Amino acid sequence: MKAVRIKVNGVVQGVGFRPFVYRIAHEHGVTGWVRNTSGNVEIEVEGKKRAVDSFVAALRSEAPPLARIDHIDVASCPPQGYTGFEIRESLSAAGEYQLVSPDIATCSDCRREIFEAKDRRRRYPFTNCTNCGPRFTIIDDIPYDRANTTMRKFRMCKLCQREYDDPLNRRFHAQPNACQVCGPRLSLVDNKGNPVACDDSLAASAQLLHDGKILAIRGLGGFQLACDATDVKVVKLLRKRKRRPSKPFALMFTSIEEIEKHCLVSKKEKELLRSPEAPIVLLKWKHKESNVAPAVADRLNYLGAMLPYTPLHHLLMSDAGIPLVMTSGNFSEEPIAKDNDEALRRLGGIADYFLLHDRDIYARYDDSVCIVEREPQTVRRARGYAPYPIKLGFDSMQILACGAELKNTFCLTKGRHAFISQHIGDMENAETLEHYENTVELYKQLFRIEPEAITYDMHPEYLATKYAHRVGESSDLRMVPVQHHHAHIVSCMADNAVAGPVIGVAFDGTGYGADGAIWGGEFLVAELGRFDRVGHLEYIPLLGGEAAIKKPYRMALGYIWSLLGEDTPLDGLPLNKLGSSELGLLKQQLKRGLNCPSTSSAGRLFDAASAITGVCTEISYEAQAAIELEMVAEGERRSRSVKPYPFDIAEQDGLRVVKLEKLIAAIAKDVRGGVPTSRISLKFHRTMAQMVREICLSISKDTGIKVVALSGGVFQNRLLMRLVVESLETDGFKVLTHRDVPCNDGGISLGQAVIANFVLSG
Ligand code: ZN
Ligand code: ZN
Ligand code: FE
């Protein structure tokens, strides 16, 4: 006889773990019990030695698909003489925490049921089981029991209760379990809140979409706005009403086969689309064969595509049978709406009709966005991923890292876990700040974290930085300011579980530099707790500050005037279309240095190149000019005859500085000479890759470091990324790129948390 006490840590609650334990206990003929605690799952079993050993082995090897086991602890204990195996009441212990599962896309069993003629859940849009359904969006405390979720107000009917109580049922302790009789319901209303008379809200919604209407749909983590993606008129109307002139919309398709009619889909991309996380994946758009309205993603070669991930989406897509725009339910820049009243109030001017339901949402949760280069990379991390933590290679203090500004997230650390929040959004208004603060409190509560320190970006004007000061000054938390690009590089290191030192190449739009300038084209030698800036792109005046970011033609003028001289003729360049009075004013501004901070930003260099070539001179969403420049290059065959432009590397104050005069002059010459834009763009991308290569070789020569970490939003540029990785690998570098954490500012909070931990622990 043998008896053991087992503790299982990881994502083991809300994923069908206890019924699984129950089943294998019976299979292996052991007795005892299993229970959830707020820290882990506890099991006690006894039986013949061989039976107990094989039970323990099966715990690991046969765990349910959604479980993620971090650690199993087995200790012997005195046998109690149990006669059967039971599932005991959950136990909540003070201070302990457990991982919370993200929301999971509808599993194949549930999908089958909702389309099956005789099933009692036929066409039921809130069907779920222990293998799928809402989790994080409906929970406000642990342990994960129905009473701690927004399902608490629905009393299960007899049939549902029977499933819930049956350890061998797929719905055993499925907390959101529900059916037509007892669960949440849909309702269809117009934009004044008046009910629309119909027998079936889903079928009626599908009809409205066919009729060219815009629908607000209450989804999993908030409202989405939907319309027919093949109808140019309604897509443009949605743009106008949502005040989103050109930022691309994501689409939902009924199936992979349907996506393949519009996009090229690789094997890895298919796997990702069909995964339990079911993110939006950016796919190569087959423009010629696709009838998706070009206005969905103007001038872009990629479509953001996803598959239905809730029963509601499955049913609606199947009824509608057309690709739908499925974009977040907000005005640009605001958080996604989640409550019914709130949505009617905020989105009434955008949507014609509202498909509502009465299962409340605690956590706003946007769709995640991924790309597949060699491996999947997360660009926006939310649904399906958060709040599952990133695993750290060391034991961390409890730290709150506040992040940066755009695409912001925060990060809370405890032990080996870094809980990066779901994508919060651009921290530029009070609504987003409020959402951010509430979400910080939710994570602190769920994971029982009481920060000892708070870390933040050095930029004094970021709302997240101001929040950090407010919290820090009203408590005795230790405060750790962190430089933006150091945080980028360390987030990439942590994402790859590498301690460094590495050569860090941080290319982005804007980050507050240690010298007060705006950095963004940075070469660092970085460790987890410190860094040296060893190189950068040369400083250029940001003509008119923020305005230069929205108007890349100003950036172009800043480069041309400061590098080639103020009298450089603009003829033959798209910039000569500017009025002489505006040009005069800008020139005066530059001369006097009025609102012209210095920047080494790589993002701004892309903007300038985009404007000088006439690809994009004004933008309406972040990085638009750079993205459109990248798209143009794809028209060019990547032949070896397309050589990079010239540039120089100078040494200034002990730093390697990339001098850009020759580059800008050469681009202007090509534009005047009528060289195709596609070729100029490809040459420009090659030039950027060549800069990275030369500087990394030089740093490596001095330091002996052969590992390069690439981070910063500019590396969302897939062409640049490919060229840089290829050339660095040819030179024998090991290249680290992002995986689970975005390379853009959404990854900053992780970097900050890791840095602060090392700064404080010395
Ligand atoms: Zn299911
Ligand atoms: Zn029921
Ligand atoms: Fe950044």
Side-chain angles (χ1 to χ4, degrees):
M1 283 296 278
K2 180 174 178 179
V4 291
R5 186 82 180 260
I6 303 166
K7 288 181 180 170
V8 189
N9 282 300
V11 176
V12 286
Q13 299 192 13
V15 292
F17 201 78
R18 287 172 305 166
F20 152 73
V21 172
Y22 182 91
R23 184 171 56 75
I24 61 168
H26 282 270
E27 278 171 19
H28 295 274
V30 294
T31 57
W33 51 263
V34 57
R35 76 175 166 209
N36 280 347
T37 74
S38 36
N40 49 34
V41 167
E42 285 178 357
I43 306 165
E44 218 175 282
V45 288
E46 56 192 50
K48 292 214 175 75
K49 181 177 179 304
R50 204 199 289 159
V52 171
D53 289 345
S54 61
F55 169 85
V56 172
L59 264 187
R60 212 181 267 283
S61 62
E62 293 171 31
L66 299 180
R68 299 211 206 180
I69 297 177
D70 276 357
H71 185 69
I72 299 185
D73 183 62
V74 185
S76 25
C77 64
Q80 304 289 326
Y82 297 117
T83 53
F85 193 89
E86 62 170 354
I87 293 172
R88 290 197 170 168
E89 284 278 295
S90 297
L91 185 80
S92 102
E96 299 234 315
Y97 73 109
Q98 58 176 236
L99 302 185
V100 172
S101 167
D103 294 27
I104 297 295
T106 311
C107 73
S108 52
D109 290 326
C110 288
R111 196 175 55 219
R112 188 172 31 75
E113 287 171 351
I114 59 172
F115 287 112
E116 210 156 76
K118 294 219 174 85
D119 197 278
R120 73 184 192 91
R121 286 193 176 81
R122 187 181 113 78
R123 286 186 72 76
Y124 184 56
F126 302 96
T127 300
N128 63 81
C129 73
T130 47
N131 297 322
C132 74
R135 298 286 187 276
F136 172 63
T137 54
I138 58 167
I139 179 175
D140 71 344
D141 201 2
I142 50 171
Y144 175 62
D145 284 333
R146 193 168 173 114
N148 285 331
T149 74
T150 58
M151 283 299 293
R152 67 173 80 95
K153 71 176 182 188
F154 300 98
R155 254 193 80 159
M156 275 182 279
C157 69
K158 264 196 186 142
L159 288 176
C160 286
Q161 187 70 48
R162 201 178 294 159
E163 294 165 338
Y164 185 92
D165 291 333
D166 174 4
L168 295 176
N169 192 288
R170 198 172 97 245
R171 299 202 162 88
F172 175 74
H173 282 227
Q175 305 305 344
N177 189 27
C179 74
Q180 322 261 19
V181 176
C182 65
R185 284 169 199 221
L186 290 177
S187 55
L188 181 63
V189 302
D190 66 17
N191 57 7
K192 307 272 180 312
N194 304 312
V196 173
C198 61
D199 297 336
D200 181 329
S201 313
L202 280 165
S205 297
Q207 188 55 50
L208 288 167
L209 289 164
H210 271 280
D211 294 343
K213 300 295 182 202
I214 296 171
L215 209 69
I217 300 167
R218 192 182 203 196
L220 202 54
F223 276 79
Q224 291 169 312
L225 292 161
C227 72
D228 178 354
T230 63
D231 178 343
V232 186
K233 242 172 75 191
V234 72
V235 172
K236 287 193 169 157
L237 184 65
L238 176 59
R239 289 211 171 280
K240 198 170 138 216
R241 289 191 188 163
K242 195 171 144 69
R243 296 179 212 147
R244 178 160 151 161
S246 42
K247 192 176 176 187
F249 286 139
L251 301 185
M252 188 176 273
F253 293 89
T254 48
S255 64
I256 290 271
E257 293 69 34
E258 203 54 44
I259 296 180
E260 283 184 310
K261 290 182 188 163
H262 303 270
C263 300
L264 286 174
V265 197
S266 72
K267 195 164 154 261
K268 279 187 181 165
E269 286 166 339
K270 272 181 211 169
E271 275 168 23
L272 191 56
L273 286 161
R274 284 198 187 112
S275 67
E277 292 83 8
I280 296 168
V281 182
L282 299 182
L283 302 170
K284 199 77 192 272
W285 187 359
K286 299 192 285 191
H287 281 281
K288 283 188 194 134
E289 293 155 57
S290 165
N291 66 340
V292 166
V296 163
D298 259 323
R299 292 187 292 282
L300 304 191
N301 308 336
Y302 292 87
L303 274 183
M306 65 183 142
L307 290 174
Y309 55 82
T310 69
L312 190 161
H313 290 113
H314 278 289
L315 294 163
L316 181 67
M317 290 306 299
S318 143
D319 285 359
I322 44 173
L324 295 180
V325 166
M326 198 62 78
T327 185
S328 42
N330 55 6
F331 278 108
S332 312
E333 325 305 336
E334 286 179 2
I336 180 169
K338 71 179 178 69
D339 299 327
N340 289 339
D341 300 347
E342 178 200 8
L344 281 163
R345 184 164 32 84
R346 283 175 53 198
L347 308 179
I350 306 179
D352 302 306
Y353 293 92
F354 286 72
L355 184 56
L356 306 175
H357 65 70
D358 54 357
R359 184 179 74 199
D360 286 334
I361 299 168
Y362 269 126
R364 293 173 210 273
Y365 207 41
D366 290 85
D367 292 318
S368 292
V369 182
C370 295
I371 60 167
V372 179
E373 269 300 317
R374 290 181 191 173
E375 293 300 324
Q377 295 173 15
T378 316
V379 178
R380 180 166 80 191
R381 187 177 180 277
R383 179 177 53 76
Y385 299 96
Y388 192 69
I390 303 292
K391 250 184 135 176
L392 299 171
F394 54 89
D395 272 312
S396 177
M397 306 168 56
Q398 299 192 30
I399 294 171
L400 168 59
C402 298
E405 183 172 60
L406 298 180
K407 305 179 164 72
N408 203 24
T409 63
F410 60 82
C411 178
L412 281 156
T413 54
K414 182 175 186 174
R416 299 225 152 194
H417 290 143
F419 297 94
I420 304 180
S421 71
Q422 74 269 32
H423 164 86
I424 301 283
D426 296 346
M427 301 268 286
E428 294 179 323
N429 53 57
E431 292 80 6
T432 312
L433 180 64
E434 190 188 336
H435 167 34
Y436 172 92
E437 293 187 23
N438 292 339
T439 312
V440 170
E441 293 311 314
L442 175 66
Y443 274 64
K444 279 165 62 179
Q445 169 68 15
L446 282 182
F447 303 113
R448 307 291 194 255
I449 298 178
E450 263 320 313
E452 307 153 62
I454 190 162
T455 172
Y456 50 94
D457 196 277
M458 291 165 69
H459 198 305
E461 293 306 317
Y462 283 175
L463 287 183
T465 301
K466 290 181 173 171
Y467 165 80
H469 283 293
R470 188 150 41 83
V471 173
E473 276 148 25
S474 62
S475 62
D476 48 9
L477 293 180
R478 296 165 77 179
M479 313 274 292
V480 186
V482 167
Q483 201 282 320
H484 188 92
H485 302 95
H486 186 208
H488 268 307
I489 296 303
V490 172
S491 78
C492 182
M493 293 165 73
D495 204 358
N496 287 278
V498 164
V502 301
I503 298 171
V505 182
F507 277 6
D508 67 356
T510 303
Y512 197 82
D515 59 359
I518 301 168
W519 292 7
E522 308 307 311
F523 296 86
L524 315 177
V525 169
E527 296 171 48
L528 298 178
R530 63 176 303 283
F531 76 102
D532 286 313
R533 187 193 201 201
V534 292
H536 63 87
L537 303 187
E538 90 176 278
Y539 282 136
I540 300 292
L542 190 63
L543 195 45
E546 281 288 306
I549 299 174
K550 302 251 158 65
K551 297 178 172 166
Y553 68 80
R554 290 194 177 208
M555 221 44 241
L557 291 170
Y559 278 89
I560 289 173
W561 287 339
S562 65
L563 296 175
L564 310 183
E566 285 170 22
D567 301 322
T568 310
L570 299 176
D571 55 291
L573 301 179
L575 308 165
N576 70 351
K577 290 185 216 116
L578 296 174
S580 58
S581 63
E582 184 176 9
L583 281 173
L585 278 173
L586 289 171
K587 203 173 272 187
Q588 279 303 315
Q589 199 175 3
L590 183 69
K591 259 190 194 142
R592 297 204 191 128
L594 278 176
N595 196 13
C596 286
S598 294
T599 184
S600 54
S601 164
R604 295 294 89 78
L605 178 54
F606 270 87
D607 288 354
S610 187
I612 297 173
T613 48
V615 170
C616 179
T617 51
E618 286 190 62
I619 64 167
S620 69
Y621 64 92
E622 199 210 354
Q624 183 180 353
I627 292 169
E628 291 184 2
L629 187 66
E630 176 195 354
M631 296 301 125
V632 164
E634 290 192 0
E636 189 70 22
R637 267 195 45 230
R638 280 172 61 190
S639 94
R640 287 184 185 278
S641 66
V642 184
K643 295 270 184 278
Y645 287 114
F647 60 90
D648 292 306
I649 297 174
E651 183 150 334
Q652 285 175 2
D653 310 321
L655 299 181
R656 295 157 187 85
V657 177
V658 184
K659 305 295 266 183
L660 303 165
E661 179 191 333
K662 287 180 185 164
L663 166 63
I664 298 298
I667 295 177
K669 187 169 165 243
D670 271 0
V671 173
R672 289 197 182 99
V675 175
T677 319
S678 58
R679 176 166 278 247
I680 299 177
S681 174
L682 181 56
K683 282 171 85 171
F684 174 74
H685 280 81
R686 289 230 157 121
T687 315
M688 298 304 291
Q690 183 64 14
M691 277 174 201
V692 172
R693 171 172 186 248
E694 287 186 23
I695 301 252
C696 287
L697 283 171
S698 156
I699 297 169
S700 180
K701 211 171 127 213
D702 287 359
T703 60
I705 302 172
K706 294 294 282 176
V707 182
V708 179
L710 305 176
S711 191
V714 169
F715 284 110
Q716 274 176 249
N717 180 322
R718 298 166 82 164
L719 174 61
L720 178 72
M721 184 58 118
R722 270 175 233 157
L723 293 171
V724 168
V725 171
E726 267 168 34
S727 81
L728 289 174
E729 286 183 346
T730 309
D731 288 323
F733 285 104
K734 180 176 162 54
V735 184
L736 307 177
T737 58
H738 280 268
R739 312 167 189 212
D740 297 331
V741 183
C743 69
N744 57 47
D745 284 6
I748 288 280
S749 62
L750 174 66
Q752 291 171 339
V754 172
I755 292 167
N757 185 71
F758 280 84
V759 167
L760 293 172
S761 64

